């Protein structure tokens, strides 16, 4: 990874922080995108001195555009983009643009960063886009008649599962659109990782996290696949695949629906004006 530049979101904790540290130790210049300045500065302590911190709300389209503009002003190319940031919200919230928060953060931030930084990735010898999804995508369903959960009663777990399916659909559609370039697009399931994710959830959701916590993997174990996809020469030309434990794996039948993926792309374009 010597001489490589990596952009990563969600690196202030959990697998994102471990991934950033590992890639920095391998010689990469890591650009950390973080919402909280204090946590961002703390995360930078484990990285080499040439790494950079960018502050912005990853659910905000305005902030993402500003951050990408800043990156363009300082860098001629990017070798790896790791879309890792994600969250689950107990209640239905909206971002500054009025978009439901789970979709804004877990899906649209991936879509926006991949589109706005694509020109820099194309300038790399072998650009890589890595999207952190989840096995939860198998329970996801994209309902375009109520895309932002305005008509149905909001359910945090359902919204999370849906966005994880969106991550896989987006990865595959992006890979199809990138054919003919040297940029690859892959996604992964990191495992059930023991982090602060979901620790404040209440009700049934909170109970589920407590039940499964003893069998969850460590952030170090959960970060292995993302590190592999970012650095291994074995996957430099592999694109449009879903990985588990550093190996290609099968994603859900629904995730391979090209019509669904194309419609998600079109909807995302309408919501962002990009793509």
């Amino acid at each position: 990874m010597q001489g490589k530049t990596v952009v990563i979101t969600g690196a202030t904790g959990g697998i994102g922080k471990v991934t950033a540290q590992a890639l920095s130790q391998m010689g990469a210049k890591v650009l950390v995108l973080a919402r909280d300045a204090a946590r961002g500065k703390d995360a930078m302590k484990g990285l080499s001195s040439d790494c950079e911190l960018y502050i912005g709300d990853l659910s905000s389209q305005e902030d993402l555009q500003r951050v990408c503009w800043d990156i363009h002003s300082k860098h001629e190319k990017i070798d790896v983009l790791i879309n890792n940031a994600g969250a689950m919200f107990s209640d239905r919230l909206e971002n500054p643009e009025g978009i439901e928060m789970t979709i804004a953060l877990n899906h649209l931030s991936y879509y926006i960063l991949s589109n706005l930084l694509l020109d820099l990735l194309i300038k790399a010898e072998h650009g890589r886009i890595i999207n952190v999804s989840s096995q939860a995508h198998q329970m996801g369903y994209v309902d375009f008649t109520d895309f932002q959960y305005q008509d149905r009663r909001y359910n945090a777990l359902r919204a999370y599962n849906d966005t994880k399916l969106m991550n896989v659909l987006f990865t595959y559609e992006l890979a199809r659109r990138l054919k003919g370039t040297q940029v690859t697009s892959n996604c992964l399931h990191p495992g059930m990782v023991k982090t602060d994710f979901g620790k404040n959830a209440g009700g049934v959701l909170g109970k589920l996290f407590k039940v499964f916590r003893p069998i969850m993997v460590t952030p170090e174990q959960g970060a292995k696949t993302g590190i592999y996809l970012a650095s291994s020469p074995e996957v430099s030309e592999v694109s449009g695949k879903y990985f588990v434990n550093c190996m290609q794996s099968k994603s859900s039948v629904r995730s391979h629906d090209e019509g669904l993926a194309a419609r998600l792309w079109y909807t995302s374009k309408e919501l962002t004006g990009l793509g």
Side-chain angles (χ1 to χ4, degrees), residues 31 33 54 67-75 78 117 120:
L31 314 185
L33 276 58
Y54 295 82
V67 167
C68 288
W69 177 265
D70 288 345
I71 291 173
H72 273 86
S73 69
K74 298 175 184 177
H75 298 274
I78 290 170
L117 296 178
L120 298 184

Side-chain angles (χ1 to χ4, degrees), residues 97-154:
E97 287 81 23
I99 298 170
E100 191 277 320
M101 189 66 79
T102 319
I103 292 172
L105 178 61
N106 294 7
H107 166 60
L108 288 180
S109 72
Y110 288 26
Y111 180 87
I112 292 169
L113 288 171
S114 298
N115 275 283
L116 291 180
L117 296 178
L118 182 58
D119 59 330
L120 298 184
L121 286 155
I122 289 174
K123 291 178 181 178
E125 185 177 352
H126 287 286
R128 307 185 188 193
I129 298 173
I130 301 161
N131 299 316
V132 177
S133 180
S134 168
Q135 195 170 10
H137 84 273
Q138 297 183 21
M139 297 175 284
Y141 178 82
V142 184
D143 181 5
F144 291 103
T145 65
D146 187 25
F147 188 68
Q148 297 192 52
Y149 315 108
Q150 294 169 308
D151 299 331
R152 294 175 292 170
R153 182 178 178 182
Y154 179 78

Side-chain angles (χ1 to χ4, degrees), residues 18 49 51-52 62 91 131 153 233 275:
V18 173
S49 59
C51 294
E52 300 171 4
E62 182 178 352
D91 300 308
N131 299 316
R153 182 178 178 182

Side-chain angles (χ1 to χ4, degrees), residues 6-247:
V6 178
V7 175
I8 182 169
T9 65
T12 57
I15 62 173
K17 188 173 186 178
V18 173
T19 301
Q21 291 174 345
L23 295 176
S24 175
Q25 290 168 6
M26 293 167 71
K29 175 181 286 189
V30 180
L31 314 185
V32 173
L33 276 58
R35 179 178 60 85
D36 184 271
R39 293 189 65 194
K41 290 177 182 177
D42 182 67
M44 298 301 290
K45 294 176 183 177
L47 307 181
S48 59
S49 59
D50 65 337
C51 294
E52 300 171 4
L53 174 64
Y54 295 82
I55 302 299
D57 180 353
L58 295 174
S59 73
S60 164
Q61 295 186 30
E62 182 178 352
D63 275 21
L64 286 173
Q65 290 172 357
R66 174 181 53 77
V67 167
C68 288
W69 177 265
D70 288 345
I71 291 173
H72 273 86
S73 69
K74 298 175 184 177
H75 298 274
E76 294 184 356
K77 71 174 180 66
I78 290 170
D79 298 277
V80 183
L81 167 62
I82 305 177
N83 290 307
N84 169 71
M88 186 183 297
F89 302 95
S90 298
D91 300 308
R92 187 187 183 280
L93 305 172
E94 293 185 351
N95 77 338
E97 287 81 23
I99 298 170
E100 191 277 320
M101 189 66 79
T102 319
I103 292 172
L105 178 61
N106 294 7
H107 166 60
L108 288 180
S109 72
Y110 288 26
Y111 180 87
I112 292 169
L113 288 171
S114 298
N115 275 283
L116 291 180
L117 296 178
L118 182 58
D119 59 330
L120 298 184
L121 286 155
I122 289 174
K123 291 178 181 178
E125 185 177 352
H126 287 286
R128 307 185 188 193
I129 298 173
I130 301 161
N131 299 316
V132 177
S133 180
S134 168
Q135 195 170 10
H137 84 273
Q138 297 183 21
M139 297 175 284
Y141 178 82
V142 184
D143 181 5
F144 291 103
T145 65
D146 187 25
F147 188 68
Q148 297 192 52
Y149 315 108
Q150 294 169 308
D151 299 331
R152 294 175 292 170
R153 182 178 178 182
Y154 179 78
N155 180 288
L157 185 58
R158 178 178 61 202
Y160 179 79
N161 294 343
D162 291 352
T163 56
K164 293 297 102 179
L165 173 59
M166 292 178 197
N167 293 158
V168 185
L169 288 164
F170 168 64
T171 298
Y172 293 167
E173 179 66 17
L174 182 59
R176 286 188 285 271
R177 290 170 179 261
L178 289 174
K179 284 183 179 179
T181 75
Q182 294 296 310
V183 181
T184 61
S185 170
N186 293 295
C187 58
L188 67 102
H189 165 57
M192 294 181 64
V193 185
K194 190 180 295 183
T195 67
D196 289 339
F197 186 91
K199 71 175 184 178
N200 296 319
V204 175
L205 195 58
K207 292 178 181 178
L208 281 174
F209 277 110
K210 290 179 182 178
V211 168
F212 286 108
R213 192 166 181 80
I215 62 172
M216 290 179 175
V217 301
T218 65
E220 287 72 21
Q221 292 170 313
K224 286 182 179 179
T225 303
I227 296 168
Y228 169 75
L229 289 175
S231 62
S232 175
E234 296 177 359
V235 291
S236 64
E237 297 183 6
V238 175
S239 191
K241 302 300 180 182
Y242 173 74
F243 285 79
V244 181
N245 293 325
C246 300
M247 296 184 293

